[in-house]
Amino acid sequence: MPNVYSQQFEYDDADPAGYRAGASQVGKAAGGRDNVVKEFEIPAGESVCPYHYEYEEEWLLLLEGAVTVRTPNGERSLERGGLMCFPAGPDGAHKLTNRGDATALALMWSSAREPSVSIYPDSDKMGVWAGEDRAMLRRADAQLDYYEGER
């Protein structure tokens, strides 16, 4: 059984500076199937993901440290024990950044059903995930006619 205070975190070497946070699939390790529960280790000066929203509700519980959470209403500080819900759609856009000196631990969960779509308002990108099929598109370039290329 996993313990959120003794996880091993995986870091992706491809993540650029400013987005080097570690992740652990604690929900999967606990046997979960219907919800995705991830724990993030966020070193000082790093963020979990770019500012984005999804089409499902997502939750955040800060286990240790402090982070700055950007939402459509601006930025706010969240400290140990802080709990936030990000609603589905544009009103739930968010980004977690550790501007402190100590590493922060955050637990995030959602239904994370696939296919899933994330929108990145700052860069006007859209990410689509469906099993092994994945795409990151600039929304302005993705405006094809529904029947284009069909026979």
Side-chain angles (χ1 to χ4, degrees):
M1 177 163 315
N3 182 311
V4 296
Y5 293 106
S6 61
Q7 290 301 300
Q8 296 296 314
F9 295 93
E10 293 184 24
Y11 283 78
D12 187 339
D13 292 336
D15 289 343
Y19 292 97
R20 294 188 178 140
S24 178
Q25 298 276 353
V26 293
K28 190 179 285 184
R33 288 191 264 168
D34 293 334
N35 290 291
V36 170
V37 182
K38 294 181 182 178
E39 185 176 359
F40 294 96
E41 180 178 64
I42 313 164
E46 303 293 335
S47 296
V48 173
C49 297
Y51 185 64
H52 71 286
Y53 62 87
E54 300 168 49
Y55 289 96
E56 61 187 333
E57 185 175 271
E58 190 170 14
W59 286 81
L60 162 67
L61 173 61
L62 195 63
L63 301 172
E64 289 292 336
V67 295
T68 300
V69 181
R70 177 183 169 199
T71 70
N73 297 321
E75 292 186 343
R76 69 181 273 197
S77 295
L78 192 67
E79 295 181 359
R80 184 177 185 260
L83 178 67
M84 292 184 75
C85 177
F86 306 109
D91 290 344
H94 59 280
K95 177 182 178 180
L96 279 65
T97 302
N98 182 352
R99 293 194 177 134
D101 295 327
T103 297
L105 292 179
L107 196 65
M108 297 191 77
W109 66 95
S110 68
S111 65
R113 292 183 177 89
E114 288 189 2
S116 66
V117 175
S118 293
I119 305 296
Y120 301 86
D122 290 345
S123 57
D124 198 35
K125 291 184 300 200
M126 174 174 53
V128 180
W129 291 265
E132 297 300 314
D133 291 326
R134 297 171 180 189
M136 185 66 67
L137 311 163
R138 184 120 9 239
R139 291 193 301 174
D141 296 338
Q143 303 303 318
L144 300 176
D145 181 88
Y146 179 73
Y147 293 105
E148 184 175 321
E150 300 299 330
R151 295 181 199 209

